[in-house]
Amino acid sequence: MKQTYDFGLVGLGVMGRNFILNVADHGFTAYGNDLDKEKVAALIAEGGNTESINASTEVTVFTAALSRPRKIMLLVPAGKVVDVVIESLLPHLDQGDLIIDGGNSFYTDTDRRERYLKDKGIHFFGAGVSGGAKGARLGPSIMPGGDREAYQHVRPIFEAVAAKFEGAPCVAYLGPKSAGNYVKMVHNGIEYGLMQLTSEIYDLLQKGGNFSNGALQQTYARWNQGRLQSFLVEITAAIFARKDALSDGHLVDAILDKAKQKGTGKWTSQNAMDLGIPVPSIDIAVSMRQISALKDERIQADAAYDRPKVSPMEATQLEKMAEEALYFSFIITYAQGLHQLADASKEYGYELDLATIAKIWRAGCIIRAGLLADIAEAFSEKPTLENLLLSPTFMEKVQGTVTSARELVAYGALNGIPLPGLSNSLTYFDAYTSARLPLNLIQAQRDFFGSHTYERLDREGIFHTEWE
Ligand code: 6PG
């Protein structure tokens, strides 16, 4: 067999098939591999039996077909499967070949695999791919991390297939080791936060302003034309328009209110805790999926407790305030995620460039939003910016919208409408922007009961007081 294929892909599920077709669309030849005969046959058929696409169930045939160094991407479920696939490939690889894991693998797994394969002369990349099935087919945002020089082998392919923002490909080498998977994990954490916020604003508009699905559709569509322009707001509008095929109503009303999760949001929160970086807008989004899962308990509790009667708000005024509050809390959520990335970069030696990350999120990925162009600019102007809230551009945006967030959080609390993402975002903002917090008292308490010592505002040193 001729060793002619530019790119190999293992795992011909929807994402894998779409990604490989995307590669072939851009003038590269690509070879697929999957244990499932039907998936292999489906890809060959979909590739139109052309020279540019081929596939096999046999690893030996697959690896023999690839040009050197081999560039093999895995689009298989994260976890054990990745290790199994790596082991099956290894005997057929040569020094200098590249394996690229395109799944949502946990970053420490990527570090382990990178070290293991380095010893064998194989370059291992963790490359987050965002954009779902459609993104994989038409242009995802790709977040690769690994060996900088080896990346050059796959760079032309990734740059060709990635989504484009004003002509610029939404892919860039992000850093060594697991930098790519880590950035994708935080992308997903932000995704959880933004999804929670769009959902609770929907609840607010329905309960506080009596918005119908039609009005919700129009509202979100209008917002998508303005500064809230984003993939998630756009699809939210489309969701409200969808009629149910199985009833007379709208589909959204027929969907069970229990949100599932695969773990990337939770990992973001867990790791933020380890780093000591507060991301409460993301934490609460994870907690809300967990609360949503307690449907039976929620039904019992709903019946047991009185809830305040909602005093309605005027619809136009509510819509205006909701837009401002959503914009405010979107900014806060991005600020938290990027803060986490900045800290993780120092902690794990990723050498991340936050402006580049914001740029490659401007198209293709789930959290793409107009806002990211401003975020990219803020970090380009000041790469060492600790937090978006310290950027003068963002100060103005936040200052102009925070009042609506305050009023709606208060309104939600008084009327029994849960707005946890919004209130966590507001609380984070109020705390982060307080020069003085009451945690001096916590230090006093710690010293009181455990002699844990404290520092003072007015002089250097470590102090302890005998409080009793
Ligand atoms: C993307 C998404 C994707 C993720 C789904 C589902 O960027 O394309 O983040 O990678 O798997 O959004 O995630 P949950 O099942 O955890 O909601």
Side-chain angles (χ1 to χ4, degrees):
M1 161 133 6
K2 278 199 289 174
Q3 301 164 358
T4 51
Y5 288 84
D6 301 319
F7 187 73
L9 197 142
V10 181
L12 301 177
V14 184
M15 286 292 284
R17 197 173 64 240
N18 282 356
F19 197 92
I20 203 169
L21 290 168
N22 185 358
V23 171
D25 278 352
H26 287 88
F28 298 98
T29 52
Y31 209 103
N33 169 249
D34 199 293
L35 293 177
D36 186 335
K37 274 195 216 115
E38 284 174 20
K39 286 186 180 148
V40 165
L43 177 69
I44 294 172
E46 217 170 327
N49 292 304
T50 59
E51 296 278 292
S52 57
I53 287 195
N54 208 338
S56 169
T57 53
E58 298 300 320
V59 176
T60 41
V61 178
F62 169 68
T63 47
L66 301 174
S67 61
R68 317 290 197 258
R70 296 179 182 86
K71 295 158 280 295
I72 301 175
M73 180 141 169
L74 318 184
L75 276 168
V76 298
K80 198 85 210 92
V81 184
V82 176
D83 294 307
V84 171
V85 173
I86 289 172
E87 287 308 320
S88 75
L89 288 170
L90 260 181
H92 312 288
L93 300 185
D94 295 307
Q95 298 247 335
D97 286 350
L98 282 72
I99 300 180
I100 305 141
D101 177 11
N104 282 330
S105 289
F106 192 53
Y107 72 97
T108 54
D109 286 340
T110 300
D111 286 332
R112 169 177 57 77
R113 289 169 185 141
E114 202 241 3
R115 283 195 302 270
Y116 171 67
L117 289 168
K118 198 182 221 162
D119 284 349
K120 302 181 180 339
I122 309 290
H123 299 292
F124 185 72
F125 288 81
V129 177
S130 179
K134 197 171 166 191
R137 182 71 187 87
L138 300 173
S141 170
I142 312 175
M143 296 155 239
D147 183 82
R148 185 187 286 274
E149 276 174 36
Y151 175 68
Q152 301 310 323
H153 294 296
V154 78
R155 181 179 169 171
I157 301 178
F158 277 1
E159 291 190 350
V161 302
K164 306 288 178 305
F165 181 84
E166 293 174 357
C170 288
V171 58
Y173 171 80
L174 294 183
K177 303 181 289 178
S178 55
N181 280 126
Y182 192 92
V183 170
K184 176 60 170 42
M185 175 185 82
V186 174
H187 163 285
N188 282 25
I190 296 172
E191 171 185 305
Y192 274 50
L194 305 182
M195 289 169 82
Q196 172 59 32
L197 290 162
T198 46
S199 307
E200 60 193 53
I201 293 293
Y202 145 60
D203 199 25
L204 175 74
L205 294 174
Q206 262 193 331
K207 292 182 178 150
N210 207 18
F211 279 50
S212 64
N213 284 314
L216 287 164
Q217 186 264 322
Q218 285 171 13
T219 302
Y220 279 84
R222 228 180 350 261
W223 289 350
N224 192 46
Q225 299 301 315
R227 60 186 170 177
L228 274 174
Q229 185 275 316
S230 56
F231 172 71
L232 287 168
V233 169
E234 178 192 330
I235 64 163
T236 303
I239 287 168
F240 292 125
R242 178 56 74 96
K243 290 274 172 51
D244 185 14
L246 302 176
S247 74
D248 294 337
H250 283 81
L251 180 53
V252 68
D253 296 326
I255 295 178
L256 180 66
D257 51 329
K258 283 164 83 166
K260 300 265 165 67
Q261 49 184 322
K262 295 201 202 78
T264 46
K266 186 186 74 181
W267 294 344
T268 307
S269 272
Q270 285 175 325
N271 184 254
M273 283 279 175
D274 289 342
L275 291 173
I277 295 296
V279 294
S281 305
I282 297 171
D283 300 337
I284 198 68
V286 178
S287 297
M288 282 307 290
R289 292 197 190 193
Q290 290 158 348
I291 293 179
S292 84
L294 307 173
K295 177 82 172 172
D296 295 342
E297 290 168 50
R298 286 193 285 120
I299 291 171
Q300 283 180 52
D302 189 334
Y305 288 93
D306 292 336
R307 183 173 289 275
K309 191 174 169 322
V310 174
S311 52
M313 276 180 77
E314 196 277 312
T316 318
Q317 176 62 7
L318 178 59
E319 182 183 323
K320 181 177 177 293
M321 289 169 71
E323 190 270 343
E324 290 175 356
L326 193 54
Y327 186 67
F328 165 83
S329 50
F330 268 25
I331 292 175
I332 301 290
T333 307
Y334 282 109
Q336 292 172 12
L338 289 159
H339 194 195
Q340 179 168 349
L341 285 179
D343 197 74
S345 181
K346 286 182 219 144
E347 188 66 25
Y348 306 132
Y350 287 148
E351 300 154 29
L352 298 177
D353 177 44
L354 296 190
T356 299
I357 293 169
K359 281 182 191 160
I360 66 165
W361 285 351
R362 289 176 303 178
C365 66
I366 304 296
I367 65 166
R368 62 186 185 258
L371 200 48
L372 281 161
D374 301 326
I375 296 177
E377 212 174 291
F379 282 103
S380 298
E381 271 164 26
K382 194 174 177 210
T384 56
L385 190 65
E386 291 89 347
N387 190 309
L388 213 48
L389 290 174
L390 297 175
S391 136
T393 327
F394 278 88
M395 284 174 190
E396 209 175 295
K397 294 180 196 303
V398 166
Q399 202 68 60
T401 49
V402 63
T403 307
S404 287
R406 284 191 200 295
E407 288 179 15
L408 289 180
V409 166
Y411 174 79
L414 289 171
N415 288 277
I417 303 169
L419 299 172
L422 184 56
S423 63
N424 265 22
S425 301
L426 179 63
T427 304
Y428 171 86
F429 170 76
D430 280 335
Y432 187 78
T433 56
S434 293
R436 179 92 167 130
L437 287 169
L439 280 82
N440 47 328
L441 179 59
I442 292 179
Q443 282 298 76
Q445 290 165 333
R446 292 177 71 245
D447 191 53
F448 191 114
F449 62 64
S451 304
H452 293 299
T453 73
Y454 56 89
E455 290 168 278
R456 294 182 56 96
L457 285 168
D458 57 353
R459 64 199 71 196
E460 292 281 311
I462 304 293
F463 297 84
H464 167 63
T465 297
E466 286 304 320
W467 295 86
E468 283 181 293

